[in-house]
Amino acid sequence: MVSTATQIANFNFDNCLMNAAGVYCMTREELEQVENSAAGSFVTKTGTLEARAGNPEPRYVDTELGSINSMGLPNNGFEYYLDYVIELQNQADSKNHFLSLVGLSPAETHIILKKVQESDYQGLVELNLSCPNVPGKPQIAYDFETTTEILTEVFSYFTKPLGVKLPPYFDIVHFDQAAAVFNQFPLAFVNCVNSIGNGLVINDETVVIKPKNGFGGLGGDYIKPTALANVHAFYQRLNPSIQIIGTGGVKSGRDAFEHILCGASMVQIGTALQQEGPAIFQRVTDELKAIMTEKGYESLEDFRGKLNYID
């Protein structure tokens, strides 16, 4: 039998597909829809210390090749999501989950993570390093010094399984430098990638989203080649104990297959999930299994990371 089951750290998942943070995860009702779908897991909306309304509308728009958004971290506060995943983990048939978190400052990040450390939550935690943190500074993960400082302090007290959500990197030297930072820490996973920042989409003579004069993160078809490159670059460079979640441009079984071929252990769906709804998980799973059957692969391990090069 062909299986799309997978594992991150010591957590097992019946299916390698799940939502990307930001999509179908704002409310318990949305998370419940993903929980009850063919997805192997869900990740919560990135929770901040306090609830946030986010940026003014329109802040998300579907485009011909994907989407553009500048959401501004709208969420119900991290405790809303923490309470829900604890509630679910106490149910006998619950899936394993990912709790996504970030502070609006390093101090807030540590307050949040210390509360999670003290809680009864036993699942995986994703620290979102692909959010702008300090005005005038780049996204956290583009600032290797700050990233090192934050992770050093985090792992001085945090003992639960933790991974990081990353923005895309575009330079080979940055892959080298980022991997050198992440390899210093007992990370469970890295998630590659968040949207490509500060794209601009125009309709006639006007931008299509309101925040930041139209500048926003690109998702969908635009970003798949960049996402695959980041997945494979980190698969080549990270300690084998640090697994990779592939995110970006996944709307078919073929897309998921390519992420796994590049080294991903799990695959997240964002823009296409927003457009199609949670039924997409069954369709993409069926398509992925069909490709695996055609190629004679019975498990993800049969082809994960086994990308071929041209001699």
Side-chain angles (χ1 to χ4, degrees):
M1 284 289 291
V2 169
S3 170
T4 57
T6 192
Q7 190 176 20
I8 300 280
N10 294 318
F11 296 85
N12 293 309
F13 303 90
D14 291 341
N15 191 3
C16 63
L17 301 177
M18 59 183 290
N19 67 306
V23 185
Y24 269 87
C25 58
M26 182 73 169
T27 64
R28 285 175 173 234
E29 291 73 25
E30 288 180 336
L31 289 164
E32 194 173 328
Q33 289 185 64
V34 180
E35 177 80 354
N36 294 329
S37 74
S41 181
F42 68 60
V43 59
T44 62
K45 188 81 176 68
T46 299
T48 50
L49 189 59
E50 306 291 343
R52 289 174 53 87
N55 290 337
E57 304 273 3
R59 58 193 185 186
Y60 172 96
V61 171
D62 289 321
T63 66
E64 187 179 353
L65 293 173
S67 65
I68 185 169
N69 83 86
S70 179
M71 300 299 290
L73 278 177
N75 73 95
N76 291 320
F78 85 96
E79 288 180 330
Y80 173 93
Y81 305 105
L82 178 61
D83 290 345
Y84 184 52
V85 290
I86 290 174
E87 186 181 305
L88 285 180
Q89 80 183 10
N90 294 328
Q91 299 174 8
D93 57 348
S94 174
K95 300 172 181 177
N96 292 313
H97 301 114
F98 294 78
L99 178 67
S100 183
L101 306 165
V102 74
L104 300 181
S105 67
E108 279 194 10
T109 295
H110 296 306
I111 291 169
I112 293 168
L113 285 173
K114 284 174 180 174
K115 285 181 179 282
V116 175
Q117 174 69 26
E118 293 162 6
S119 76
D120 293 331
Y121 179 56
Q122 300 299 323
L124 290 138
V125 174
E126 176 180 276
L127 177 59
N128 191 343
L129 295 182
S130 51
C131 293
N133 198 295
V134 179
K137 289 278 231 172
Q139 295 183 48
I140 305 169
Y142 288 153
D143 183 337
F144 297 127
E145 188 177 333
T146 299
T147 298
T148 303
E149 289 171 1
I150 289 174
L151 291 178
T152 298
E153 184 165 345
V154 164
F155 284 109
S156 73
Y157 61 82
F158 199 82
T159 60
K160 296 180 178 182
L162 178 82
V164 290
K165 176 74 173 280
L166 300 176
Y169 296 98
F170 302 98
D171 200 302
I172 297 296
V173 71
H174 291 155
F175 291 132
D176 294 339
Q177 291 171 338
V181 170
F182 301 137
N183 280 335
Q184 298 174 45
F185 301 100
L187 292 167
F189 65 90
V190 298
N191 186 344
C192 308
V193 294
N194 206 332
S195 55
I196 294 178
N198 295 315
L200 191 63
V201 175
I202 297 167
N203 180 21
D204 190 17
E205 296 182 2
T206 307
V207 299
V208 298
I209 58 173
K210 184 174 181 178
K212 293 169 63 178
N213 291 330
F215 283 72
L218 299 177
D221 292 355
Y222 299 110
I223 78 169
K224 192 178 89 168
T226 296
L228 293 177
N230 276 258
V231 168
H232 196 56
F234 282 114
Y235 181 76
Q236 293 171 309
R237 288 167 174 79
L238 292 178
N239 297 332
S241 59
I242 304 176
Q243 290 169 276
I244 298 167
I245 298 175
T247 307
V250 178
K251 63 180 184 182
S252 70
R254 176 67 203 185
D255 298 327
F257 177 82
E258 290 178 8
H259 270 273
I260 298 159
L261 191 68
C262 286
S265 293
M266 290 192 84
V267 178
Q268 295 185 345
I269 305 178
T271 295
L273 170 60
Q274 179 69 36
Q275 295 169 346
E276 191 172 325
I280 193 172
F281 292 114
Q282 188 63 61
R283 176 179 66 76
V284 173
T285 301
D286 292 343
E287 292 171 2
L288 174 58
K289 285 183 172 179
I291 293 169
M292 291 171 64
T293 300
E294 180 187 333
K295 293 180 175 290
Y297 298 139
E298 294 184 357
S299 72
L300 304 188
E301 290 306 308
D302 290 343
F303 66 98
R304 186 168 68 88
K306 296 180 181 176
L307 180 65
N308 295 310
Y309 309 128
I310 299 171
D311 292 331

PDB file of all heavy atoms in Angstrom, residues 253-279:
ATOM      1  N   GLY A 253      -0.751  17.315  -6.519  1.00  0.00           N
ATOM      2  CA  GLY A 253       0.094  16.236  -6.040  1.00  0.00           C
ATOM      3  C   GLY A 253       1.504  16.343  -6.583  1.00  0.00           C
ATOM      4  O   GLY A 253       2.476  16.002  -5.889  1.00  0.00           O
ATOM      5  N   ARG A 254       1.640  16.827  -7.803  1.00  0.00           N
ATOM      6  CA  ARG A 254       2.964  17.006  -8.394  1.00  0.00           C
ATOM      7  C   ARG A 254       3.781  18.032  -7.607  1.00  0.00           C
ATOM      8  O   ARG A 254       4.983  17.833  -7.351  1.00  0.00           O
ATOM      9  CB  ARG A 254       2.837  17.450  -9.857  1.00  0.00           C
ATOM     10  CG  ARG A 254       4.160  17.748 -10.546  1.00  0.00           C
ATOM     11  CD  ARG A 254       5.012  16.500 -10.734  1.00  0.00           C
ATOM     12  NE  ARG A 254       6.423  16.851 -10.885  1.00  0.00           N
ATOM     13  CZ  ARG A 254       7.385  15.978 -11.149  1.00  0.00           C
ATOM     14  NH1 ARG A 254       7.086  14.694 -11.317  1.00  0.00           N
ATOM     15  NH2 ARG A 254       8.633  16.367 -11.257  1.00  0.00           N
ATOM     16  N   ASP A 255       3.137  19.119  -7.195  1.00  0.00           N
ATOM     17  CA  ASP A 255       3.841  20.133  -6.411  1.00  0.00           C
ATOM     18  C   ASP A 255       4.327  19.543  -5.090  1.00  0.00           C
ATOM     19  O   ASP A 255       5.465  19.782  -4.672  1.00  0.00           O
ATOM     20  CB  ASP A 255       2.924  21.323  -6.119  1.00  0.00           C
ATOM     21  CG  ASP A 255       2.453  22.024  -7.383  1.00  0.00           C
ATOM     22  OD1 ASP A 255       3.208  22.077  -8.363  1.00  0.00           O
ATOM     23  OD2 ASP A 255       1.300  22.516  -7.376  1.00  0.00           O
ATOM     24  N   ALA A 256       3.453  18.791  -4.416  1.00  0.00           N
ATOM     25  CA  ALA A 256       3.834  18.167  -3.140  1.00  0.00           C
ATOM     26  C   ALA A 256       4.976  17.179  -3.361  1.00  0.00           C
ATOM     27  O   ALA A 256       5.931  17.126  -2.572  1.00  0.00           O
ATOM     28  CB  ALA A 256       2.627  17.466  -2.519  1.00  0.00           C
ATOM     29  N   PHE A 257       4.898  16.395  -4.434  1.00  0.00           N
ATOM     30  CA  PHE A 257       5.942  15.424  -4.774  1.00  0.00           C
ATOM     31  C   PHE A 257       7.299  16.123  -4.914  1.00  0.00           C
ATOM     32  O   PHE A 257       8.317  15.648  -4.403  1.00  0.00           O
ATOM     33  CB  PHE A 257       5.579  14.708  -6.076  1.00  0.00           C
ATOM     34  CG  PHE A 257       6.612  13.727  -6.556  1.00  0.00           C
ATOM     35  CD1 PHE A 257       6.671  12.441  -6.030  1.00  0.00           C
ATOM     36  CD2 PHE A 257       7.525  14.085  -7.531  1.00  0.00           C
ATOM     37  CE1 PHE A 257       7.626  11.532  -6.465  1.00  0.00           C
ATOM     38  CE2 PHE A 257       8.488  13.190  -7.975  1.00  0.00           C
ATOM     39  CZ  PHE A 257       8.539  11.910  -7.442  1.00  0.00           C
ATOM     40  N   GLU A 258       7.308  17.284  -5.585  1.00  0.00           N
ATOM     41  CA  GLU A 258       8.566  18.006  -5.805  1.00  0.00           C
ATOM     42  C   GLU A 258       9.145  18.529  -4.490  1.00  0.00           C
ATOM     43  O   GLU A 258      10.364  18.508  -4.295  1.00  0.00           O
ATOM     44  CB  GLU A 258       8.347  19.139  -6.805  1.00  0.00           C
ATOM     45  CG  GLU A 258       8.090  18.629  -8.222  1.00  0.00           C
ATOM     46  CD  GLU A 258       7.821  19.741  -9.219  1.00  0.00           C
ATOM     47  OE1 GLU A 258       7.972  20.935  -8.869  1.00  0.00           O
ATOM     48  OE2 GLU A 258       7.450  19.416 -10.369  1.00  0.00           O
ATOM     49  N   HIS A 259       8.285  19.007  -3.600  1.00  0.00           N
ATOM     50  CA  HIS A 259       8.783  19.460  -2.294  1.00  0.00           C
ATOM     51  C   HIS A 259       9.451  18.310  -1.544  1.00  0.00           C
ATOM     52  O   HIS A 259      10.515  18.483  -0.944  1.00  0.00           O
ATOM     53  CB  HIS A 259       7.631  20.030  -1.454  1.00  0.00           C
ATOM     54  CG  HIS A 259       7.417  21.503  -1.637  1.00  0.00           C
ATOM     55  ND1 HIS A 259       8.087  22.452  -0.906  1.00  0.00           N
ATOM     56  CD2 HIS A 259       6.602  22.195  -2.471  1.00  0.00           C
ATOM     57  CE1 HIS A 259       7.703  23.664  -1.270  1.00  0.00           C
ATOM     58  NE2 HIS A 259       6.790  23.541  -2.222  1.00  0.00           N
ATOM     59  N   ILE A 260       8.829  17.139  -1.563  1.00  0.00           N
ATOM     60  CA  ILE A 260       9.399  15.971  -0.870  1.00  0.00           C
ATOM     61  C   ILE A 260      10.680  15.524  -1.563  1.00  0.00           C
ATOM     62  O   ILE A 260      11.677  15.212  -0.903  1.00  0.00           O
ATOM     63  CB  ILE A 260       8.354  14.837  -0.801  1.00  0.00           C
ATOM     64  CG1 ILE A 260       7.143  15.298   0.007  1.00  0.00           C
ATOM     65  CG2 ILE A 260       8.956  13.582  -0.179  1.00  0.00           C
ATOM     66  CD1 ILE A 260       5.881  14.507  -0.259  1.00  0.00           C
ATOM     67  N   LEU A 261      10.673  15.527  -2.875  1.00  0.00           N
ATOM     68  CA  LEU A 261      11.875  15.174  -3.643  1.00  0.00           C
ATOM     69  C   LEU A 261      13.043  16.088  -3.266  1.00  0.00           C
ATOM     70  O   LEU A 261      14.205  15.661  -3.229  1.00  0.00           O
ATOM     71  CB  LEU A 261      11.578  15.282  -5.145  1.00  0.00           C
ATOM     72  CG  LEU A 261      12.607  14.723  -6.117  1.00  0.00           C
ATOM     73  CD1 LEU A 261      12.688  13.198  -6.024  1.00  0.00           C
ATOM     74  CD2 LEU A 261      12.256  15.133  -7.557  1.00  0.00           C
ATOM     75  N   CYS A 262      12.736  17.348  -2.967  1.00  0.00           N
ATOM     76  CA  CYS A 262      13.777  18.300  -2.570  1.00  0.00           C
ATOM     77  C   CYS A 262      14.201  18.131  -1.107  1.00  0.00           C
ATOM     78  O   CYS A 262      15.194  18.713  -0.690  1.00  0.00           O
ATOM     79  CB  CYS A 262      13.300  19.733  -2.798  1.00  0.00           C
ATOM     80  SG  CYS A 262      13.281  20.214  -4.538  1.00  0.00           S
ATOM     81  N   GLY A 263      13.444  17.335  -0.331  1.00  0.00           N
ATOM     82  CA  GLY A 263      13.861  17.055   1.038  1.00  0.00           C
ATOM     83  C   GLY A 263      12.832  17.303   2.118  1.00  0.00           C
ATOM     84  O   GLY A 263      13.123  17.107   3.300  1.00  0.00           O
ATOM     85  N   ALA A 264      11.619  17.732   1.758  1.00  0.00           N
ATOM     86  CA  ALA A 264      10.608  18.040   2.770  1.00  0.00           C
ATOM     87  C   ALA A 264      10.039  16.771   3.391  1.00  0.00           C
ATOM     88  O   ALA A 264       9.789  15.785   2.706  1.00  0.00           O
ATOM     89  CB  ALA A 264       9.476  18.865   2.161  1.00  0.00           C
ATOM     90  N   SER A 265       9.815  16.816   4.708  1.00  0.00           N
ATOM     91  CA  SER A 265       9.149  15.720   5.424  1.00  0.00           C
ATOM     92  C   SER A 265       7.647  15.946   5.511  1.00  0.00           C
ATOM     93  O   SER A 265       6.879  14.998   5.614  1.00  0.00           O
ATOM     94  CB  SER A 265       9.721  15.579   6.831  1.00  0.00           C
ATOM     95  OG  SER A 265      11.061  15.157   6.792  1.00  0.00           O
ATOM     96  N   MET A 266       7.232  17.221   5.535  1.00  0.00           N
ATOM     97  CA  MET A 266       5.816  17.574   5.459  1.00  0.00           C
ATOM     98  C   MET A 266       5.665  18.706   4.461  1.00  0.00           C
ATOM     99  O   MET A 266       6.649  19.396   4.145  1.00  0.00           O
ATOM    100  CB  MET A 266       5.242  17.998   6.822  1.00  0.00           C
ATOM    101  CG  MET A 266       5.115  16.862   7.815  1.00  0.00           C
ATOM    102  SD  MET A 266       4.131  17.283   9.289  1.00  0.00           S
ATOM    103  CE  MET A 266       2.455  16.985   8.680  1.00  0.00           C
ATOM    104  N   VAL A 267       4.443  18.892   3.969  1.00  0.00           N
ATOM    105  CA  VAL A 267       4.176  19.907   2.945  1.00  0.00           C
ATOM    106  C   VAL A 267       2.940  20.697   3.352  1.00  0.00           C
ATOM    107  O   VAL A 267       1.894  20.113   3.665  1.00  0.00           O
ATOM    108  CB  VAL A 267       3.966  19.249   1.566  1.00  0.00           C
ATOM    109  CG1 VAL A 267       3.641  20.313   0.518  1.00  0.00           C
ATOM    110  CG2 VAL A 267       5.205  18.455   1.153  1.00  0.00           C
ATOM    111  N   GLN A 268       3.052  22.016   3.342  1.00  0.00           N
ATOM    112  CA  GLN A 268       1.937  22.877   3.705  1.00  0.00           C
ATOM    113  C   GLN A 268       1.320  23.522   2.467  1.00  0.00           C
ATOM    114  O   GLN A 268       2.025  23.828   1.500  1.00  0.00           O
ATOM    115  CB  GLN A 268       2.387  23.960   4.684  1.00  0.00           C
ATOM    116  CG  GLN A 268       2.837  23.395   6.024  1.00  0.00           C
ATOM    117  CD  GLN A 268       3.170  24.460   7.049  1.00  0.00           C
ATOM    118  OE1 GLN A 268       3.334  25.634   6.730  1.00  0.00           O
ATOM    119  NE2 GLN A 268       3.278  24.050   8.313  1.00  0.00           N
ATOM    120  N   ILE A 269       0.009  23.739   2.533  1.00  0.00           N
ATOM    121  CA  ILE A 269      -0.725  24.372   1.436  1.00  0.00           C
ATOM    122  C   ILE A 269      -1.326  25.670   1.950  1.00  0.00           C
ATOM    123  O   ILE A 269      -2.015  25.679   2.980  1.00  0.00           O
ATOM    124  CB  ILE A 269      -1.833  23.445   0.895  1.00  0.00           C
ATOM    125  CG1 ILE A 269      -1.239  22.091   0.477  1.00  0.00           C
ATOM    126  CG2 ILE A 269      -2.554  24.099  -0.277  1.00  0.00           C
ATOM    127  CD1 ILE A 269      -2.266  21.086  -0.025  1.00  0.00           C
ATOM    128  N   GLY A 270      -1.059  26.767   1.261  1.00  0.00           N
ATOM    129  CA  GLY A 270      -1.544  28.079   1.682  1.00  0.00           C
ATOM    130  C   GLY A 270      -2.540  28.680   0.715  1.00  0.00           C
ATOM    131  O   GLY A 270      -3.748  28.519   0.858  1.00  0.00           O
ATOM    132  N   THR A 271      -2.036  29.369  -0.313  1.00  0.00           N
ATOM    133  CA  THR A 271      -2.906  30.075  -1.260  1.00  0.00           C
ATOM    134  C   THR A 271      -3.972  29.159  -1.852  1.00  0.00           C
ATOM    135  O   THR A 271      -5.154  29.521  -1.910  1.00  0.00           O
ATOM    136  CB  THR A 271      -2.059  30.697  -2.383  1.00  0.00           C
ATOM    137  OG1 THR A 271      -1.214  31.712  -1.838  1.00  0.00           O
ATOM    138  CG2 THR A 271      -2.944  31.329  -3.450  1.00  0.00           C
ATOM    139  N   ALA A 272      -3.582  27.964  -2.300  1.00  0.00           N
ATOM    140  CA  ALA A 272      -4.548  27.064  -2.937  1.00  0.00           C
ATOM    141  C   ALA A 272      -5.610  26.590  -1.945  1.00  0.00           C
ATOM    142  O   ALA A 272      -6.768  26.367  -2.325  1.00  0.00           O
ATOM    143  CB  ALA A 272      -3.825  25.867  -3.557  1.00  0.00           C
ATOM    144  N   LEU A 273      -5.240  26.449  -0.670  1.00  0.00           N
ATOM    145  CA  LEU A 273      -6.220  26.101   0.362  1.00  0.00           C
ATOM    146  C   LEU A 273      -7.206  27.248   0.542  1.00  0.00           C
ATOM    147  O   LEU A 273      -8.418  27.033   0.668  1.00  0.00           O
ATOM    148  CB  LEU A 273      -5.503  25.783   1.682  1.00  0.00           C
ATOM    149  CG  LEU A 273      -6.369  25.639   2.934  1.00  0.00           C
ATOM    150  CD1 LEU A 273      -7.395  24.517   2.781  1.00  0.00           C
ATOM    151  CD2 LEU A 273      -5.501  25.408   4.162  1.00  0.00           C
ATOM    152  N   GLN A 274      -6.699  28.468   0.552  1.00  0.00           N
ATOM    153  CA  GLN A 274      -7.564  29.642   0.657  1.00  0.00           C
ATOM    154  C   GLN A 274      -8.568  29.670  -0.490  1.00  0.00           C
ATOM    155  O   GLN A 274      -9.735  30.001  -0.318  1.00  0.00           O
ATOM    156  CB  GLN A 274      -6.712  30.918   0.649  1.00  0.00           C
ATOM    157  CG  GLN A 274      -7.483  32.219   0.730  1.00  0.00           C
ATOM    158  CD  GLN A 274      -8.142  32.432   2.075  1.00  0.00           C
ATOM    159  OE1 GLN A 274      -7.595  32.064   3.095  1.00  0.00           O
ATOM    160  NE2 GLN A 274      -9.327  33.018   2.080  1.00  0.00           N
ATOM    161  N   GLN A 275      -8.122  29.286  -1.671  1.00  0.00           N
ATOM    162  CA  GLN A 275      -8.958  29.369  -2.866  1.00  0.00           C
ATOM    163  C   GLN A 275      -9.919  28.193  -3.002  1.00  0.00           C
ATOM    164  O   GLN A 275     -11.041  28.351  -3.485  1.00  0.00           O
ATOM    165  CB  GLN A 275      -8.065  29.461  -4.109  1.00  0.00           C
ATOM    166  CG  GLN A 275      -7.234  30.744  -4.148  1.00  0.00           C
ATOM    167  CD  GLN A 275      -6.166  30.746  -5.225  1.00  0.00           C
ATOM    168  OE1 GLN A 275      -5.847  29.706  -5.804  1.00  0.00           O
ATOM    169  NE2 GLN A 275      -5.606  31.910  -5.501  1.00  0.00           N
ATOM    170  N   GLU A 276      -9.487  27.004  -2.568  1.00  0.00           N
ATOM    171  CA  GLU A 276     -10.263  25.779  -2.820  1.00  0.00           C
ATOM    172  C   GLU A 276     -10.965  25.238  -1.591  1.00  0.00           C
ATOM    173  O   GLU A 276     -11.961  24.512  -1.701  1.00  0.00           O
ATOM    174  CB  GLU A 276      -9.326  24.711  -3.398  1.00  0.00           C
ATOM    175  CG  GLU A 276     -10.025  23.487  -3.949  1.00  0.00           C
ATOM    176  CD  GLU A 276      -9.061  22.553  -4.674  1.00  0.00           C
ATOM    177  OE1 GLU A 276      -8.110  23.055  -5.323  1.00  0.00           O
ATOM    178  OE2 GLU A 276      -9.264  21.331  -4.594  1.00  0.00           O
ATOM    179  N   GLY A 277     -10.458  25.553  -0.400  1.00  0.00           N
ATOM    180  CA  GLY A 277     -11.045  25.011   0.816  1.00  0.00           C
ATOM    181  C   GLY A 277     -10.425  23.675   1.205  1.00  0.00           C
ATOM    182  O   GLY A 277      -9.639  23.093   0.443  1.00  0.00           O
ATOM    183  N   PRO A 278     -10.764  23.153   2.382  1.00  0.00           N
ATOM    184  CA  PRO A 278     -10.101  21.966   2.925  1.00  0.00           C
ATOM    185  C   PRO A 278     -10.271  20.682   2.112  1.00  0.00           C
ATOM    186  O   PRO A 278      -9.541  19.717   2.335  1.00  0.00           O
ATOM    187  CB  PRO A 278     -10.738  21.813   4.313  1.00  0.00           C
ATOM    188  CG  PRO A 278     -11.177  23.192   4.677  1.00  0.00           C
ATOM    189  CD  PRO A 278     -11.641  23.795   3.389  1.00  0.00           C
ATOM    190  N   ALA A 279     -11.200  20.648   1.171  1.00  0.00           N
ATOM    191  CA  ALA A 279     -11.313  19.474   0.292  1.00  0.00           C
ATOM    192  C   ALA A 279     -10.048  19.274  -0.532  1.00  0.00           C
ATOM    193  O   ALA A 279      -9.796  18.175  -1.041  1.00  0.00           O
ATOM    194  CB  ALA A 279     -12.524  19.616  -0.627  1.00  0.00           C
TER     195      ALA A 279
END
